[in-house]
Amino acid sequence: MANTNPFREDLVTRSQAAPCTVVIFGATGDLTHRKLVPALYNLAVEGELPPGVKIIGFARREKSDEVFRAGLKEINPKVSRSGHEAKIWDPFEENIHYHQSEFQDVDGYQRLADRLDEIDNGRGGKGNRLFYVASAPEFFDDILENLKKVGLNEAADGCWARVIVEKPFGTDLPSAKHLNEVVSRTFAEKETYRIDHYLGKETAQNIMVLRFANAIFEPLWNNRYIEQVQITCSENLGMEGGRGGYYDKSGAMRDMIQNHLLQLLSLVAMEPPTDLSADGVRDEKVKVIRSLRQWDTPEKVAENVVRAQYTAGTVDGVSRVGYREEDRVDPESMTESYVAVRCMIDTWRWSGVPFYVRMGKQLPKKATEISIHFKSPPSVLFNSDSSGTPGGNVLVIRIQPDEGISLRMMSKIPGANLRLEPVKMDFHYATSFGKGSPEAYERLLLDSMAGDATLFARRDEVEEAWKFVDHIERAWHESDNAPPMAEYTAGSWGPKEADDLLKQDGNEWRRL
Ligand SMILES: NC(=O)C1=CN([C@@H]2O[C@H](COP(=O)(O)OP(=O)(O)OC[C@H]3O[C@@H](n4cnc5c(N)ncnc54)[C@H](OP(=O)(O)O)[C@@H]3O)[C@@H](O)[C@H]2O)C=CC1
Ligand SMILES: O=C1O[C@H](COP(=O)(O)O)[C@@H](O)[C@H](O)[C@H]1O
């Protein structure tokens, strides 16, 4: 199919996604059942899955292909965005197989290699392979090393072997560096795809289009016109589904800020790339993360970062226990379920503009948005109490739900008197395009089959983000004068300390 996108000459179109065998490590797990296989199924529904794609699920439990397929089929209708149609599922399912092995057992990989060769022999001896590491992180090394031991990291002539690595990509800078070393010993960087599912969200991809395909925004996109930027990710869940064990070792800073929210920040703050190649875009994103002012002492952390845990409360009319009472959470835990950070980007463009980033569990609703707060106009004309003082314009990018963009601006209230009121110009994806957005994993799986790593994190981005986060984590967990842990009631909008953080600058959080 020809590239019909006038904006992106060098676009790797979806039709370039190549047939391959997708091997999923951790295939009996939650991610595979709720996200990965439904994403592949939805691609099949949309007619975008390359013909001949096969899926091999790799995990420890004994299962036949039939039992594995039955488990996937049972959950698919509940989680697939396009429901479940037998006429699509039945042929799709025939290409799903199960491979039983321990991650640590090299023989299991040799058997996998034999199986892949068998599949590829049916394709004239050639086959592309996409290895998806969807296990707990402690197995990442074993899986990568074992793939290499049996030569599965190498591709036949004219084919490719790629690896997708799930999050968390390390737990701090040293572990991320170590993992990057292991990855780079096994796969070339261009064949490595570090998942950050926020980059696959339609609305996150639209940030660059908004900025660089509309001439009206970019001239204003700097510290002359923008006063502050807010990035909020609010979740109305806590530690459901047995997540407490993982989360208590991670916390909001590592779980969401280090990856998803710093990625959003870098898309908002980056310079225009010279082209839309993967490295063109990622070169600019990494410069932003590298330019973050480091909060590298406990005093700076206390001044610029707030951490908190929820106490018992009510969300959506349902009583919730406090964070420390959650299943698999240490009753004396010092892990944050909420974090708010004032980020300063020391570049010419952003000098003096605070980027406030916050994320919390057990807040009143599930929503992620970015708001760009423009400076107020000079208060010369409309400044009397009777007319109403105009505030600055606010551009809101709703990442989810109700994906869209709105612009708050001042308008005259109809009538004889000159009185002003803020109004909203609103764009909703659902109404403008008449259909829901694809799931992030759909786009990311397809891009990895097409060899387009633009929406995946590069090694240096991940490491720079850990550098920023590690300073804060050290101040919290290793210093004698560690900044305190605040509290907020489940169902509230977070701790008072986070409001105070903005008040110091004369700002306040936007209400979602
Ligand atoms: N679940 C989610 O929504 C998300 C998950 N992730 C990440 O994805 C990864 C997987 O998460 P999730 O699916 O929830 O994890 P689960 O705990 O649900 O699944 C773990 C999988 O690993 C397999 N496994 C464990 N030990 C071994 C072993 N020694 N040898 C072979 N297989 C083994 C299990 O197989 P068996 O059942 O046979 O023991 C199972 O298939 C994690 O890194 C997580 O951080 C990221 C974003 C969201
Ligand atoms: O990676 C993660 O993301 C989810 C939030 O993802 P979303 O697409 O639903 O916004 C978060 O709940 C989880 O803790 C984290 O590990």
Side-chain angles (χ1 to χ4, degrees):
M1 199 208 314
N3 175 15
T4 51
N5 185 334
F7 174 58
R8 188 171 166 184
E9 288 298 323
D10 63 335
L11 189 78
V12 178
T13 59
R14 291 177 174 214
S15 61
Q16 285 176 275
C20 58
T21 302
V22 184
V23 181
I24 304 177
F25 294 92
T28 51
D30 178 69
L31 183 70
T32 306
H33 283 70
R34 281 194 314 107
K35 296 285 181 188
L36 304 183
V37 171
L40 291 162
Y41 167 76
N42 280 314
L43 291 173
V45 172
E46 300 283 339
E48 295 192 278
L49 193 68
V53 163
K54 289 200 178 287
I55 301 163
I56 298 187
F58 185 122
R60 177 171 45 190
R61 278 178 248 181
E62 285 290 351
K63 268 182 205 268
S64 63
D65 286 355
E66 288 67 34
V67 171
F68 182 49
R69 289 171 185 169
L72 295 168
K73 183 177 176 179
E74 191 189 333
I75 194 165
N76 191 57
K78 297 175 198 141
V79 293
S80 148
R81 76 177 165 92
S82 49
H84 185 91
E85 269 184 89
K87 80 169 190 287
I88 308 279
W89 179 267
D90 292 350
F92 171 77
E93 173 189 86
E94 278 172 25
N95 289 310
I96 300 179
H97 303 276
Y98 185 71
H99 184 81
Q100 187 281 326
S101 171
E102 291 277 340
F103 291 144
Q104 299 89 335
D105 176 12
V106 188
D107 289 347
Y109 293 74
Q110 191 51 59
R111 284 188 284 113
L112 174 68
D114 296 343
R115 229 171 146 174
L116 286 168
D117 284 344
E118 217 173 279
I119 291 172
D120 293 345
N121 284 339
R123 293 171 166 156
K126 300 243 165 180
N128 298 314
R129 285 132 184 212
L130 183 59
F131 299 105
Y132 197 124
V133 182
S135 69
E138 59 264 33
F139 298 115
F140 289 0
D141 287 19
D142 282 335
I143 295 169
L144 291 160
E145 302 280 15
N146 285 335
L147 283 171
K148 184 175 178 182
K149 278 187 193 148
V150 301
L152 278 173
N153 58 329
E154 284 169 11
D157 278 354
C159 302
W160 47 258
R162 296 184 183 137
V163 67
I164 301 181
V165 185
E166 254 304 333
K167 68 168 288 207
F169 202 89
T171 51
D172 55 13
L173 181 59
S175 58
K177 277 190 165 162
H178 167 79
L179 182 52
N180 272 326
E181 287 306 318
V182 177
V183 174
S184 68
R185 277 203 300 273
T186 45
F187 289 87
E189 180 65 28
K190 75 175 176 44
E191 306 295 11
T192 302
Y193 293 74
R194 296 173 191 79
I195 280 266
D196 187 308
H197 78 273
Y198 263 61
L199 291 176
K201 290 184 190 280
E202 205 57 53
T203 37
Q205 294 168 47
N206 198 35
I207 296 172
M208 276 209 293
V209 178
L210 173 81
R211 291 188 53 195
F212 305 131
N214 294 293
I216 61 168
F217 294 116
E218 201 46 27
L220 309 179
W221 212 261
N222 56 54
N223 60 1
R224 284 187 64 195
Y225 298 99
I226 293 177
E227 194 165 73
Q228 48 145 331
V229 175
Q230 297 185 9
I231 302 178
T232 296
C233 173
S234 146
E235 293 189 8
N236 54 358
L237 292 177
M239 300 297 118
E240 290 80 353
R243 285 213 92 205
Y246 154 76
Y247 197 85
D248 204 37
K249 292 196 205 79
S250 171
M253 181 61 93
R254 289 190 174 114
D255 185 50
M256 290 293 292
I257 306 276
Q258 186 275 340
N259 38 67
H260 310 320
L261 299 191
L262 286 184
Q263 284 290 337
L264 292 183
L265 177 142
S266 66
L267 287 169
V268 173
M270 68 192 265
E271 295 300 318
T274 46
D275 57 39
L276 287 160
S277 64
D279 280 334
V281 173
R282 297 187 298 181
D283 283 347
E284 295 307 329
K285 279 176 34 223
V286 73
K287 284 185 206 162
V288 173
I289 303 174
R290 200 175 288 140
S291 307
L292 286 171
R293 197 176 300 164
Q294 300 293 323
W295 306 137
D296 54 5
T297 63
E299 294 72 29
K300 289 184 202 169
V301 171
E303 216 174 292
N304 294 288
V305 190
V306 171
R307 60 172 168 164
Q309 289 175 339
Y310 54 84
T311 54
T314 305
V315 184
D316 294 331
V318 179
S319 305
R320 310 288 168 100
V321 297
Y323 178 70
R324 290 182 180 186
E325 287 88 61
E326 292 275 19
D327 188 27
R328 302 191 207 181
V329 168
D330 179 350
E332 292 179 18
S333 171
M334 285 301 282
T335 300
E336 74 292 352
S337 58
Y338 177 102
V339 71
V341 200
R342 180 195 288 114
C343 297
M344 301 303 293
I345 303 170
D346 287 327
T347 60
W348 189 276
R349 185 189 284 263
W350 295 115
S351 178
V353 180
F355 280 64
Y356 305 110
V357 182
R358 65 176 164 163
M359 167 322 117
K361 299 271 186 197
Q362 299 288 33
L363 299 187
K365 61 161 136 168
K366 176 153 175 76
T368 303
E369 69 157 50
I370 301 169
S371 53
I372 319 287
H373 300 247
F374 290 87
K375 291 185 175 169
S376 300
S379 55
V380 177
L381 297 177
F382 306 106
N383 60 353
S384 73
D385 282 350
S386 56
S387 64
T389 309
N393 301 108
V394 183
L395 181 71
V396 178
I397 303 170
R398 293 187 301 276
I399 300 292
Q400 63 188 22
D402 184 22
E403 291 93 338
I405 297 175
S406 71
L407 179 64
R408 173 193 186 271
M409 55 190 191
M410 296 306 290
S411 175
K412 179 181 172 298
I413 303 172
N417 297 326
L418 181 59
R419 288 177 52 237
L420 310 187
E421 196 174 277
V423 293
K424 222 165 54 170
M425 280 203 311
D426 218 347
F427 147 62
H428 297 260
Y429 275 73
T431 39
S432 296
F433 298 116
K435 59 174 186 178
S437 302
E439 283 279 334
Y441 280 99
E442 294 174 35
R443 172 66 196 257
L444 296 173
L445 279 160
L446 211 48
D447 279 5
S448 56
M449 292 177 198
D452 183 353
T454 312
L455 300 178
F456 293 81
R458 201 171 59 185
R459 177 179 183 153
D460 49 356
E461 290 181 86
V462 172
E463 293 186 4
E464 290 294 339
W466 276 121
K467 224 180 266 176
F468 177 75
V469 163
D470 276 4
H471 287 307
I472 299 170
E473 293 282 351
R474 269 201 293 274
W476 284 343
H477 300 291
E478 290 170 27
S479 81
D480 293 336
N481 52 340
M485 175 71 77
E487 288 184 348
Y488 62 103
T489 311
S492 73
W493 273 107
K496 177 186 164 299
E497 288 81 348
D499 296 339
D500 295 343
L501 180 74
L502 271 68
K503 252 188 220 152
Q504 290 159 15
D505 302 338
N507 294 324
E508 56 185 44
W509 292 108
R510 208 186 90 79
R511 272 168 176 272
L512 265 68

